[in-house]
C-alpha cells in the first residue's frame, strides 16, 4: 500500500524540516527576547523600534519575507551568509534568516504577555534594592515571564514548525517540497497528503504536550 | 519646621540624614508635591499621615528616586540624589523600602529574596549573604520559612520578609509605605512589633501609616499631609490630642470614628 514511498527520502526531508525549525527557533528566541527587552525598556528610541518592528513584520506574509531574503538579499545584494557557492546551503540559511525575522515578532509578543503577568511592584522592589534595569529584567522579570510564556511560546513553536514549509518557495528541500514532487509523480494523492500530515503531527503534537507539562511544572505561584 | 524638638530618649540624632528642600512634583496637571520641606535627623522616626491621594506614597518614592522631582532638592547623608546609573543604584541600596503589597520575588525562595540584593548589588559572598539573611529572618521571626516560596507564607510573614530583605542592604534609612494596610487585622501587630524593635535599635525611619498606636509609641514626629502639602508637623501626643489645623482635625475625626 505504501509502495509509492519507495525511492523518496522521506526521513531526509523531515530531517530538513526539523533542522529549519530548530535553528529558527533558537534564533527567534534570542532576537525575540531582545525585542521584548526593547519594548519594555526605558529607552524611547528602542521602544519605538521594537514596536514598529513587531507591527511591521507581523503584518507581512511569511512568503514575502522568505522571497525577499532570497531575491533581495541574495540575488540583488549578493548576501550569501557564508554559504560559499553551495546554493542548497545558501538557501537553507536564507530561509532560516527569514523565519527568524518573522517568528521573533511572535516570540516578542508571547514574552510580552508573560512579562505582563509579573506584578509591577516586584520590578519596583528590585529597583529599590539597587538593581539596574538589565539586572531587574534578567533576574526578576524575564525568569517569571518565560515561565508564564511557555504555553504561548509552544504555540509559536508549533506555528514555526508548520511555517518551515514556506522555505519550499526558495527551493529548500524540506518536507513540503518533497510532497509537491511526489504529488506530481504519483497517483495516491490522498495517501501522500495523509503521510505528510501525519509527519507534521508527529513533530508538533509532542511539542505541545511536553511544553504544556513544562508550563505547569515551572508556573510561578502567586 | 524645627519648632518640634522632641527627642526620643534613646535616639541619638547627629546631623540631618534626609533633607528635602522646596520639592515640587507634578503628574501632568496634578501638583502632587507642593513646596515640600522636610528634614529627618539620623535615628529619627517620622510618621507621615494624611488622606488618601495627598501624596504620601509619592513623597516616599521620590526619596529613593523611584519618582523624579520637577524642582527642589533631596539630599541623603549630605549627598544630592544622583540622576542615573551606578551612583543611583548605590543610593537606592542605601535607602530601604517596604511596600504595602510586600512585592517579594515570587519565583525565589524566602532566603533568595533576602540574599539577592546583597550578592548582586553589594557584591557580597554568597555564603556570607546567606548567613546574614538567616540571621535577619530569625530576627523578624520567619527563620523557619527560609526555604519556602512567598506564596506559601501569610501576609504578615511576607511583610516581615520584605523588611528583612531591605535590612540586608544595611540601609541608612528605611521607608515604609503603608506596610500594614494590606494585612488582615490579626497580622498587623506582628509587623508593627518588628518595626518598633527597629525604631528602638536606632534606625532612621519614614513611615506612612495610620496606625496611631505605632505613631505614639515609636515616632518622634508626625507629619500631616493634605493635597500635596505638609500641613502640620508635631510630636505624636500633641498631634493626636491637639491638632492645630482644621484639615488635621477633620482627618483625625474621620479615622477615629470608624
Ligand atoms: N504614576 C502616577 N501617574 C499619575 N498620577 C499619579 C501617579 N501616582 C499617583 N498619582 C496621583 O497622585 C496623587 C497622590 O498619590 P499618592 O502619592 O499615591 O497619594 P497617597 O499615597 O497619599 O494616597 C493621587 O491623586 C494619585 O492619583
Ligand atoms: Mg499611598
Amino acid at each position: 500500500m505504501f509502495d509509492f514511498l519507495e525511492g523518496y527520502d522521506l526521513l531526509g526531508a523531515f530531517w530538513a524540516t526539523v533542522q529549519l525549525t530548530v535553528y529558527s527557533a533558537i534564533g527567534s528566541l534570542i532576537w525575540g527576547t531582545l525585542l521584548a527587552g526593547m519594548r519594555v525598556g526605558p529607552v524611547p528610541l528602542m521602544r519605538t523600534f521594537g514596536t514598529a518592528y513587531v507591527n511591521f513584520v507581523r503584518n507581512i506574509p511569511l512568503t514575502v519575507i522568505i522571497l525577499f531574503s532570497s531575491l533581495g538579499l541574495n540575488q540583488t545584494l549578493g548576501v550569501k551568509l557564508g554559504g560559499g557557492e553551495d546554493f542548497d546551503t545558501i538557501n537553507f540559511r536564507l530561509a532560516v534568516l527569514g523565519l527568524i525575522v518573522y517568528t521573533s515578532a511572535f516570540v516578542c509578543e508571547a514574552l510580552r504577555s508573560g512579562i505582563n503577568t509579573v506584578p509591577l511592584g516586584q520590578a519596583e522592589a528590585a529597583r529599590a534594592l539597587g538593581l539596574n534595569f538589565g539586572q531587574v529584567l534578567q533576574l526578576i522579570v524575564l525568569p517569571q515571564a518565560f515561565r508564564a510564556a511557555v504555553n504561548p511560546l509552544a504555540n509559536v513553536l508549533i506555528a514555526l514548525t508548520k511555517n518551515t514549509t514556506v522555505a519550499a518557495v526558495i527551493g529548500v528541500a524540506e518536507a513540503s517540497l518533497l510532497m509537491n514532487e511526489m504529488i506530481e509523480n504519483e497517483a495516491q494523492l490522498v495517501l501522500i497528503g495523509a503521510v505528510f500530515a501525519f509527519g507534521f503531527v508527529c513533530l508538533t503534537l509532542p511539542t505541545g504536550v511536553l511544553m504544556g507539562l513544562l508550563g505547569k511544572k515551572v508556573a510561578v505561584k502567586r | 519646621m524645627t519648632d518640634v524638638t522632641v527627642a526620643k530618649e534613646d535616639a541619638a540624632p547627629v546631623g540631618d540624614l534626609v533633607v528635602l528642600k522646596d520639592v515640587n512634583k507634578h503628574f501632568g496637571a496634578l501638583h502632587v508635591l507642593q513646596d515640600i520641606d522636610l528634614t529627618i535627623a539620623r535615628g529619627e522616626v517620622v510618621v507621615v499621615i494624611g488622606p488618601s491621594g495627598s501624596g504620601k506614597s509619592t513623597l516616599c518614592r521620590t526619596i529613593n528616586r523611584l519618582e523624579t522631582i520637577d524642582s527642589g532638592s533631596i539630599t541623603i547623608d549630605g549627598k544630592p540624589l544622583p540622576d542615573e546609573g551606578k551612583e543611583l543604584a548605590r543610593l537606592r541600596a542605601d535607602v530601604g523600602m517596604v511596600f504595602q503589597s510586600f512585592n517579594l520575588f515570587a519565583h525565589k525562595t524566602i532566603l533568595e529574596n533576602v540574599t539577592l540584593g546583597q550578592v548582586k548589588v553589594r557584591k557580597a559572598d554568597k555564603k556570607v549573604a546567606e548567613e546574614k539573611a538567616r540571621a535577619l529572618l530569625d530576627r523578624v521571626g520567619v527563620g523557619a520559612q527560609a526555604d519556602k516560596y512567598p506564596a506559601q507564607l501569610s501576609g504578615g510573614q511576607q511583610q516581615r520578609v520584605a523588611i528583612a530583605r531591605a535590612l540586608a542592604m544595611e540601609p541608612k534609612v528605611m521607608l515604609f509605605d503603608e506596610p500594614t494596610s494590606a494585612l488582615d487585622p490579626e497580622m498587623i501587630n506582628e509587623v508593627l512589633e518588628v518595626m518598633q524593635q527597629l525604631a528602638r535599635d536606632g534606625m532612621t525611619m519614614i513611615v506612612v501609616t495610620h496606625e496611631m498606636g505605632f505613631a505614639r509609641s515609636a515616632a518622634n514626629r508626625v507629619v500631616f499631609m493634605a493635597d500635596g502639602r505638609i500641613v502640620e508637623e508635631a510630636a505624636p501626643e500633641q498631634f493626636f490630642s491637639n491638632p492645630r489645623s482644621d484639615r488635621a482635625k477633620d482627618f483625625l475625626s474621620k479615622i477615629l470614628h470608624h
Side-chain angles (χ1 to χ4, degrees):
Chain A
M1 178 180 171
F2 289 102
D3 298 345
F4 65 91
L5 292 175
E6 238 165 71
Y8 294 105
D9 185 9
L10 199 60
L11 280 182
F14 269 106
W15 178 234
T17 296
V18 169
Q19 282 179 307
L20 277 174
T21 307
V22 169
Y23 287 124
S24 307
I26 294 171
S28 325
L29 197 60
I30 296 171
W31 181 221
T33 305
L34 289 173
L35 283 170
M38 289 186 207
R39 286 203 73 173
V40 302
V43 184
L45 194 69
M46 287 186 164
R47 271 211 301 267
T48 311
F49 172 79
T51 310
Y53 180 97
V54 168
N55 286 324
F56 185 66
V57 166
R58 264 202 312 193
N59 290 301
I60 306 178
L62 176 59
T63 319
V64 174
I65 294 178
I66 302 259
L67 273 177
F68 175 80
S69 34
S70 172
L71 301 177
L73 287 184
N74 179 250
Q75 293 178 23
T76 311
L77 299 173
V79 174
K80 290 180 181 156
L81 299 176
E85 294 305 315
D86 176 4
F87 285 109
D88 285 347
T89 309
I90 295 175
N91 280 343
F92 179 86
R93 292 186 182 177
L94 287 168
V96 169
L97 178 70
L99 284 165
I100 290 175
V101 164
Y102 181 78
T103 311
S104 55
F106 295 89
V107 169
C108 170
E109 291 310 274
L111 273 181
R112 224 160 53 93
S113 76
I115 288 174
N116 287 336
T117 67
V118 184
L120 202 61
Q122 285 186 43
E124 206 147 69
R127 278 206 293 155
L129 283 180
L131 299 172
N132 61 36
F133 174 76
Q135 289 176 313
V136 175
L137 208 58
Q138 185 201 331
L139 298 169
I140 306 302
V141 179
L142 283 181
Q144 296 185 65
F146 274 117
R147 292 168 195 219
V150 170
N151 287 320
L153 281 175
N155 292 334
V156 173
L157 183 56
I158 288 168
L160 168 65
T161 311
K162 295 185 287 182
N163 284 341
T164 55
T165 53
V166 177
V169 302
I170 59 170
V172 177
E174 47 68 66
S176 76
L177 193 78
L178 181 65
M179 182 176 80
N180 291 342
E181 189 188 325
M182 287 171 70
I183 285 174
E184 273 171 31
N185 299 334
E186 307 292 333
Q188 295 88 335
L189 299 188
V190 176
L191 263 182
I192 292 171
V195 164
F196 279 90
F198 179 73
F200 272 96
V201 168
C202 285
L203 293 180
T204 53
L205 206 61
T207 309
V209 171
L210 285 178
M211 297 215 18
L213 290 176
L214 179 69
K216 276 214 190 76
K217 189 165 154 33
V218 300
V220 178
K221 287 188 197 64
R222 304 216 179 271
Chain B
M1 205 108 307
T2 42
D3 59 341
V4 208
T5 44
V6 263
K8 210 170 39 171
E9 300 78 28
D10 47 356
V14 214
D16 299 332
L17 189 58
V18 181
V19 180
L20 287 84
K21 269 211 189 87
D22 220 11
V23 169
N24 282 281
K25 159 111 195 143
H26 296 79
F27 282 123
L30 183 70
H31 199 169
V32 266
L33 296 180
Q34 307 187 24
D35 307 320
I36 300 288
D37 282 308
L38 183 64
T39 300
I40 290 129
R42 206 178 298 277
E44 198 181 13
V45 177
V46 171
V47 159
V48 180
I49 196 167
S52 165
S54 57
K56 307 179 299 292
S57 295
T58 309
L59 178 74
C60 273
R61 295 160 55 81
T62 58
I63 294 175
N64 63 0
R65 216 170 185 285
L66 286 177
E67 298 282 359
T68 56
I69 57 176
D70 299 337
S71 67
S73 74
I74 302 178
T75 57
I76 304 224
D77 212 1
K79 287 194 224 77
L81 288 199
D83 278 348
E84 275 304 325
K86 278 212 174 63
E87 283 298 308
L88 180 60
R90 196 166 312 139
L91 166 113
R92 284 196 178 130
D94 281 344
V95 179
M97 184 147 188
V98 174
F99 303 84
Q100 181 175 343
S101 47
F102 330 135
N103 297 342
L104 294 181
F105 308 132
H107 63 309
K108 299 212 170 276
T109 64
I110 297 306
L111 189 70
E112 288 165 346
N113 265 272
V114 186
T115 53
L116 184 80
Q118 300 181 63
V119 173
K120 299 293 175 182
V121 179
R122 296 288 196 213
K123 310 288 177 209
D125 175 73
K126 191 158 171 267
K127 278 261 151 26
V128 178
E130 278 181 7
E131 251 165 56
K132 184 159 152 195
R134 287 191 192 278
L136 281 166
L137 288 171
D138 283 337
R139 185 168 149 198
V140 299
V142 285
Q145 323 291 333
D147 298 319
K148 292 189 181 162
Y149 285 87
Q152 297 171 285
L153 269 59
S154 73
Q157 290 173 322
Q158 289 191 52
Q159 192 62 301
R160 285 182 280 152
V161 173
I163 294 174
R165 176 176 68 180
L167 288 176
M169 307 303 286
E170 298 186 354
K172 293 176 177 166
V173 51
M174 289 275 288
L175 309 172
F176 294 82
D177 189 2
E178 305 210 27
T180 57
S181 305
L183 295 176
D184 294 334
E186 74 270 20
M187 294 173 184
I188 291 179
N189 273 335
E190 63 191 49
V191 172
L192 290 180
E193 272 161 27
V194 168
M195 291 167 59
Q196 245 144 2
Q197 186 56 49
L198 205 54
R200 277 196 292 273
D201 293 344
M203 175 60 77
T204 309
M205 294 162 64
I206 301 173
V207 186
V208 178
T209 184
H210 293 166
E211 294 293 334
M212 282 192 286
F214 174 81
R216 283 202 151 100
S217 64
N220 300 92
R221 186 159 41 126
V222 172
V223 169
F224 175 70
M225 279 186 81
D227 299 329
R229 287 181 185 282
I230 294 181
V231 177
E232 189 168 341
E233 284 186 68
E237 270 322 311
Q238 190 187 335
F239 178 79
F240 290 118
S241 54
N242 195 12
R244 280 166 299 172
S245 63
D246 291 340
R247 290 299 306 259
K249 280 177 197 156
D250 185 43
F251 174 75
L252 285 175
S253 74
K254 276 183 193 137
I255 64 167
L256 288 173
H257 292 131
H258 74 229

PDB file of all heavy atoms in Angstrom, chain B residues 26-28 30-33 50-61 67 177-178 208 225, ligand 1:
ATOM      1  N   HIS B  26       4.827  67.162  39.681  1.00  0.00           N
ATOM      2  CA  HIS B  26       3.524  67.113  39.007  1.00  0.00           C
ATOM      3  C   HIS B  26       3.327  65.753  38.359  1.00  0.00           C
ATOM      4  O   HIS B  26       4.279  65.129  37.905  1.00  0.00           O
ATOM      5  CB  HIS B  26       3.440  68.167  37.896  1.00  0.00           C
ATOM      6  CG  HIS B  26       3.514  69.576  38.390  1.00  0.00           C
ATOM      7  ND1 HIS B  26       4.702  70.168  38.735  1.00  0.00           N
ATOM      8  CD2 HIS B  26       2.546  70.495  38.589  1.00  0.00           C
ATOM      9  CE1 HIS B  26       4.461  71.414  39.130  1.00  0.00           C
ATOM     10  NE2 HIS B  26       3.163  71.634  39.050  1.00  0.00           N
ATOM     11  N   PHE B  27       2.072  65.292  38.334  1.00  0.00           N
ATOM     12  CA  PHE B  27       1.684  64.225  37.402  1.00  0.00           C
ATOM     13  C   PHE B  27       0.774  64.904  36.391  1.00  0.00           C
ATOM     14  O   PHE B  27      -0.394  65.138  36.674  1.00  0.00           O
ATOM     15  CB  PHE B  27       0.925  63.103  38.114  1.00  0.00           C
ATOM     16  CG  PHE B  27       1.805  62.170  38.888  1.00  0.00           C
ATOM     17  CD1 PHE B  27       1.620  61.964  40.243  1.00  0.00           C
ATOM     18  CD2 PHE B  27       2.823  61.465  38.240  1.00  0.00           C
ATOM     19  CE1 PHE B  27       2.437  61.088  40.946  1.00  0.00           C
ATOM     20  CE2 PHE B  27       3.631  60.587  38.950  1.00  0.00           C
ATOM     21  CZ  PHE B  27       3.442  60.403  40.298  1.00  0.00           C
ATOM     22  N   GLY B  28       1.300  65.252  35.242  1.00  0.00           N
ATOM     23  CA  GLY B  28       0.507  66.028  34.286  1.00  0.00           C
ATOM     24  C   GLY B  28       0.093  67.346  34.924  1.00  0.00           C
ATOM     25  O   GLY B  28       0.939  68.103  35.393  1.00  0.00           O
ATOM     26  N   LEU B  30      -1.679  67.577  37.615  1.00  0.00           N
ATOM     27  CA  LEU B  30      -1.847  67.408  39.065  1.00  0.00           C
ATOM     28  C   LEU B  30      -0.563  67.750  39.808  1.00  0.00           C
ATOM     29  O   LEU B  30       0.491  67.170  39.555  1.00  0.00           O
ATOM     30  CB  LEU B  30      -2.258  65.964  39.359  1.00  0.00           C
ATOM     31  CG  LEU B  30      -2.558  65.610  40.802  1.00  0.00           C
ATOM     32  CD1 LEU B  30      -3.850  66.276  41.249  1.00  0.00           C
ATOM     33  CD2 LEU B  30      -2.667  64.100  40.950  1.00  0.00           C
ATOM     34  N   HIS B  31      -0.652  68.708  40.728  1.00  0.00           N
ATOM     35  CA  HIS B  31       0.514  69.139  41.503  1.00  0.00           C
ATOM     36  C   HIS B  31       0.577  68.281  42.771  1.00  0.00           C
ATOM     37  O   HIS B  31       0.038  68.664  43.800  1.00  0.00           O
ATOM     38  CB  HIS B  31       0.342  70.627  41.840  1.00  0.00           C
ATOM     39  CG  HIS B  31       1.630  71.289  42.221  1.00  0.00           C
ATOM     40  ND1 HIS B  31       1.756  72.652  42.338  1.00  0.00           N
ATOM     41  CD2 HIS B  31       2.851  70.790  42.498  1.00  0.00           C
ATOM     42  CE1 HIS B  31       2.993  72.963  42.683  1.00  0.00           C
ATOM     43  NE2 HIS B  31       3.682  71.850  42.795  1.00  0.00           N
ATOM     44  N   VAL B  32       1.237  67.096  42.691  1.00  0.00           N
ATOM     45  CA  VAL B  32       1.171  66.136  43.805  1.00  0.00           C
ATOM     46  C   VAL B  32       2.023  66.512  45.001  1.00  0.00           C
ATOM     47  O   VAL B  32       1.668  66.189  46.129  1.00  0.00           O
ATOM     48  CB  VAL B  32       1.586  64.702  43.415  1.00  0.00           C
ATOM     49  CG1 VAL B  32       0.386  63.899  43.043  1.00  0.00           C
ATOM     50  CG2 VAL B  32       2.640  64.688  42.359  1.00  0.00           C
ATOM     51  N   LEU B  33       3.176  67.123  44.753  1.00  0.00           N
ATOM     52  CA  LEU B  33       4.012  67.576  45.873  1.00  0.00           C
ATOM     53  C   LEU B  33       4.241  69.074  45.721  1.00  0.00           C
ATOM     54  O   LEU B  33       4.739  69.525  44.692  1.00  0.00           O
ATOM     55  CB  LEU B  33       5.355  66.831  45.906  1.00  0.00           C
ATOM     56  CG  LEU B  33       5.290  65.316  46.163  1.00  0.00           C
ATOM     57  CD1 LEU B  33       6.698  64.728  46.164  1.00  0.00           C
ATOM     58  CD2 LEU B  33       4.579  64.989  47.468  1.00  0.00           C
ATOM     59  N   GLY B  50      -2.115  61.209  56.502  1.00  0.00           N
ATOM     60  CA  GLY B  50      -2.909  62.127  55.688  1.00  0.00           C
ATOM     61  C   GLY B  50      -3.893  61.377  54.824  1.00  0.00           C
ATOM     62  O   GLY B  50      -3.768  60.172  54.641  1.00  0.00           O
ATOM     63  N   PRO B  51      -4.884  62.095  54.277  1.00  0.00           N
ATOM     64  CA  PRO B  51      -5.910  61.430  53.478  1.00  0.00           C
ATOM     65  C   PRO B  51      -5.333  60.767  52.231  1.00  0.00           C
ATOM     66  O   PRO B  51      -4.246  61.117  51.782  1.00  0.00           O
ATOM     67  CB  PRO B  51      -6.859  62.560  53.077  1.00  0.00           C
ATOM     68  CG  PRO B  51      -6.331  63.811  53.665  1.00  0.00           C
ATOM     69  CD  PRO B  51      -5.073  63.531  54.393  1.00  0.00           C
ATOM     70  N   SER B  52      -6.078  59.802  51.722  1.00  0.00           N
ATOM     71  CA  SER B  52      -5.670  59.112  50.502  1.00  0.00           C
ATOM     72  C   SER B  52      -5.551  60.107  49.349  1.00  0.00           C
ATOM     73  O   SER B  52      -6.383  61.000  49.212  1.00  0.00           O
ATOM     74  CB  SER B  52      -6.712  58.032  50.203  1.00  0.00           C
ATOM     75  OG  SER B  52      -6.562  57.593  48.905  1.00  0.00           O
ATOM     76  N   GLY B  53      -4.503  59.978  48.576  1.00  0.00           N
ATOM     77  CA  GLY B  53      -4.307  60.881  47.441  1.00  0.00           C
ATOM     78  C   GLY B  53      -3.577  62.158  47.800  1.00  0.00           C
ATOM     79  O   GLY B  53      -3.374  63.030  46.966  1.00  0.00           O
ATOM     80  N   SER B  54      -3.118  62.278  49.067  1.00  0.00           N
ATOM     81  CA  SER B  54      -2.468  63.525  49.465  1.00  0.00           C
ATOM     82  C   SER B  54      -0.994  63.572  49.051  1.00  0.00           C
ATOM     83  O   SER B  54      -0.347  64.601  49.194  1.00  0.00           O
ATOM     84  CB  SER B  54      -2.608  63.724  50.976  1.00  0.00           C
ATOM     85  OG  SER B  54      -2.074  62.623  51.662  1.00  0.00           O
ATOM     86  N   GLY B  55      -0.465  62.465  48.549  1.00  0.00           N
ATOM     87  CA  GLY B  55       0.908  62.485  48.038  1.00  0.00           C
ATOM     88  C   GLY B  55       1.924  61.779  48.919  1.00  0.00           C
ATOM     89  O   GLY B  55       3.129  61.896  48.704  1.00  0.00           O
ATOM     90  N   LYS B  56       1.446  60.999  49.887  1.00  0.00           N
ATOM     91  CA  LYS B  56       2.365  60.336  50.822  1.00  0.00           C
ATOM     92  C   LYS B  56       3.247  59.318  50.106  1.00  0.00           C
ATOM     93  O   LYS B  56       4.465  59.287  50.309  1.00  0.00           O
ATOM     94  CB  LYS B  56       1.572  59.636  51.943  1.00  0.00           C
ATOM     95  CG  LYS B  56       0.589  60.551  52.655  1.00  0.00           C
ATOM     96  CD  LYS B  56      -0.190  59.830  53.732  1.00  0.00           C
ATOM     97  CE  LYS B  56      -1.050  58.680  53.224  1.00  0.00           C
ATOM     98  NZ  LYS B  56      -2.195  59.069  52.396  1.00  0.00           N
ATOM     99  N   SER B  57       2.625  58.485  49.268  1.00  0.00           N
ATOM    100  CA  SER B  57       3.412  57.481  48.549  1.00  0.00           C
ATOM    101  C   SER B  57       4.402  58.154  47.615  1.00  0.00           C
ATOM    102  O   SER B  57       5.569  57.755  47.538  1.00  0.00           O
ATOM    103  CB  SER B  57       2.500  56.570  47.727  1.00  0.00           C
ATOM    104  OG  SER B  57       1.671  55.832  48.575  1.00  0.00           O
ATOM    105  N   THR B  58       3.946  59.164  46.934  1.00  0.00           N
ATOM    106  CA  THR B  58       4.822  59.876  46.005  1.00  0.00           C
ATOM    107  C   THR B  58       6.018  60.458  46.748  1.00  0.00           C
ATOM    108  O   THR B  58       7.150  60.377  46.277  1.00  0.00           O
ATOM    109  CB  THR B  58       4.038  60.980  45.275  1.00  0.00           C
ATOM    110  OG1 THR B  58       2.851  60.410  44.725  1.00  0.00           O
ATOM    111  CG2 THR B  58       4.872  61.600  44.166  1.00  0.00           C
ATOM    112  N   LEU B  59       5.761  61.001  47.921  1.00  0.00           N
ATOM    113  CA  LEU B  59       6.845  61.558  48.735  1.00  0.00           C
ATOM    114  C   LEU B  59       7.894  60.477  49.025  1.00  0.00           C
ATOM    115  O   LEU B  59       9.094  60.674  48.815  1.00  0.00           O
ATOM    116  CB  LEU B  59       6.278  62.119  50.046  1.00  0.00           C
ATOM    117  CG  LEU B  59       7.310  62.687  51.023  1.00  0.00           C
ATOM    118  CD1 LEU B  59       7.811  64.026  50.502  1.00  0.00           C
ATOM    119  CD2 LEU B  59       6.720  62.863  52.414  1.00  0.00           C
ATOM    120  N   CYS B  60       7.430  59.317  49.481  1.00  0.00           N
ATOM    121  CA  CYS B  60       8.351  58.208  49.756  1.00  0.00           C
ATOM    122  C   CYS B  60       9.139  57.841  48.513  1.00  0.00           C
ATOM    123  O   CYS B  60      10.353  57.646  48.562  1.00  0.00           O
ATOM    124  CB  CYS B  60       7.570  56.959  50.175  1.00  0.00           C
ATOM    125  SG  CYS B  60       7.221  56.889  51.915  1.00  0.00           S
ATOM    126  N   ARG B  61       8.421  57.744  47.407  1.00  0.00           N
ATOM    127  CA  ARG B  61       9.055  57.253  46.191  1.00  0.00           C
ATOM    128  C   ARG B  61      10.060  58.242  45.613  1.00  0.00           C
ATOM    129  O   ARG B  61      11.001  57.845  44.927  1.00  0.00           O
ATOM    130  CB  ARG B  61       7.992  56.884  45.169  1.00  0.00           C
ATOM    131  CG  ARG B  61       7.130  55.697  45.644  1.00  0.00           C
ATOM    132  CD  ARG B  61       5.818  55.623  44.902  1.00  0.00           C
ATOM    133  NE  ARG B  61       6.020  55.587  43.468  1.00  0.00           N
ATOM    134  CZ  ARG B  61       6.327  54.480  42.801  1.00  0.00           C
ATOM    135  NH1 ARG B  61       6.404  53.339  43.442  1.00  0.00           N
ATOM    136  NH2 ARG B  61       6.538  54.519  41.515  1.00  0.00           N
ATOM    137  N   GLU B  67      10.453  57.937  41.787  1.00  0.00           N
ATOM    138  CA  GLU B  67       9.833  59.034  41.035  1.00  0.00           C
ATOM    139  C   GLU B  67      10.821  60.184  40.988  1.00  0.00           C
ATOM    140  O   GLU B  67      11.489  60.473  41.981  1.00  0.00           O
ATOM    141  CB  GLU B  67       8.551  59.536  41.728  1.00  0.00           C
ATOM    142  CG  GLU B  67       7.453  58.514  41.863  1.00  0.00           C
ATOM    143  CD  GLU B  67       6.674  58.278  40.567  1.00  0.00           C
ATOM    144  OE1 GLU B  67       6.980  58.936  39.547  1.00  0.00           O
ATOM    145  OE2 GLU B  67       5.781  57.421  40.582  1.00  0.00           O
ATOM    146  N   ASP B 177       5.851  52.337  53.179  1.00  0.00           N
ATOM    147  CA  ASP B 177       4.639  52.932  52.608  1.00  0.00           C
ATOM    148  C   ASP B 177       3.418  52.074  52.958  1.00  0.00           C
ATOM    149  O   ASP B 177       3.167  51.064  52.323  1.00  0.00           O
ATOM    150  CB  ASP B 177       4.780  53.068  51.080  1.00  0.00           C
ATOM    151  CG  ASP B 177       3.631  53.874  50.492  1.00  0.00           C
ATOM    152  OD1 ASP B 177       2.772  54.337  51.256  1.00  0.00           O
ATOM    153  OD2 ASP B 177       3.598  54.036  49.254  1.00  0.00           O
ATOM    154  N   GLU B 178       2.700  52.484  53.966  1.00  0.00           N
ATOM    155  CA  GLU B 178       1.525  51.751  54.462  1.00  0.00           C
ATOM    156  C   GLU B 178       1.795  50.245  54.579  1.00  0.00           C
ATOM    157  O   GLU B 178       1.112  49.429  53.966  1.00  0.00           O
ATOM    158  CB  GLU B 178       0.323  51.999  53.536  1.00  0.00           C
ATOM    159  CG  GLU B 178       0.042  53.488  53.365  1.00  0.00           C
ATOM    160  CD  GLU B 178      -1.430  53.779  53.114  1.00  0.00           C
ATOM    161  OE1 GLU B 178      -2.266  52.972  53.556  1.00  0.00           O
ATOM    162  OE2 GLU B 178      -1.727  54.808  52.513  1.00  0.00           O
ATOM    163  N   VAL B 208       4.801  55.795  56.377  1.00  0.00           N
ATOM    164  CA  VAL B 208       3.438  56.224  56.059  1.00  0.00           C
ATOM    165  C   VAL B 208       2.510  55.205  56.694  1.00  0.00           C
ATOM    166  O   VAL B 208       2.551  54.020  56.348  1.00  0.00           O
ATOM    167  CB  VAL B 208       3.205  56.261  54.538  1.00  0.00           C
ATOM    168  CG1 VAL B 208       1.757  56.655  54.240  1.00  0.00           C
ATOM    169  CG2 VAL B 208       4.184  57.200  53.866  1.00  0.00           C
ATOM    170  N   MET B 225       0.014  65.377  55.952  1.00  0.00           N
ATOM    171  CA  MET B 225      -0.041  65.889  54.573  1.00  0.00           C
ATOM    172  C   MET B 225      -1.476  65.962  54.087  1.00  0.00           C
ATOM    173  O   MET B 225      -2.299  65.106  54.399  1.00  0.00           O
ATOM    174  CB  MET B 225       0.708  64.951  53.620  1.00  0.00           C
ATOM    175  CG  MET B 225       2.211  65.133  53.613  1.00  0.00           C
ATOM    176  SD  MET B 225       2.971  64.110  52.325  1.00  0.00           S
ATOM    177  CE  MET B 225       2.714  65.129  50.876  1.00  0.00           C
TER     178      MET B 225
HETATM  179  N1  LIG C   1       2.074  57.415  38.365  1.00  0.00           N
HETATM  180  C1  LIG C   1       1.079  58.300  38.535  1.00  0.00           C
HETATM  181  N2  LIG C   1       0.560  58.958  37.469  1.00  0.00           N
HETATM  182  C2  LIG C   1      -0.418  59.870  37.629  1.00  0.00           C
HETATM  183  N3  LIG C   1      -0.958  60.204  38.805  1.00  0.00           N
HETATM  184  C3  LIG C   1      -0.485  59.604  39.910  1.00  0.00           C
HETATM  185  C4  LIG C   1       0.546  58.613  39.825  1.00  0.00           C
HETATM  186  N4  LIG C   1       0.824  58.172  41.071  1.00  0.00           N
HETATM  187  C5  LIG C   1      -0.009  58.842  41.903  1.00  0.00           C
HETATM  188  N5  LIG C   1      -0.789  59.700  41.212  1.00  0.00           N
HETATM  189  C6  LIG C   1      -1.775  60.631  41.777  1.00  0.00           C
HETATM  190  O1  LIG C   1      -1.080  61.465  42.662  1.00  0.00           O
HETATM  191  C7  LIG C   1      -1.863  61.723  43.808  1.00  0.00           C
HETATM  192  C8  LIG C   1      -1.070  61.350  45.045  1.00  0.00           C
HETATM  193  O2  LIG C   1      -0.918  59.941  45.053  1.00  0.00           O
HETATM  194  P1  LIG C   1      -0.194  59.172  46.217  1.00  0.00           P
HETATM  195  O3  LIG C   1       1.168  59.752  46.410  1.00  0.00           O
HETATM  196  O4  LIG C   1      -0.271  57.722  45.888  1.00  0.00           O
HETATM  197  O5  LIG C   1      -1.104  59.519  47.463  1.00  0.00           O
HETATM  198  P2  LIG C   1      -1.266  58.765  48.840  1.00  0.00           P
HETATM  199  O6  LIG C   1      -0.164  57.766  48.974  1.00  0.00           O
HETATM  200  O7  LIG C   1      -1.193  59.853  49.860  1.00  0.00           O
HETATM  201  O8  LIG C   1      -2.605  58.119  48.831  1.00  0.00           O
HETATM  202  C9  LIG C   1      -3.152  60.948  43.642  1.00  0.00           C
HETATM  203  O9  LIG C   1      -4.140  61.824  43.181  1.00  0.00           O
HETATM  204  C10 LIG C   1      -2.814  59.923  42.605  1.00  0.00           C
HETATM  205  O10 LIG C   1      -3.959  59.617  41.832  1.00  0.00           O
END
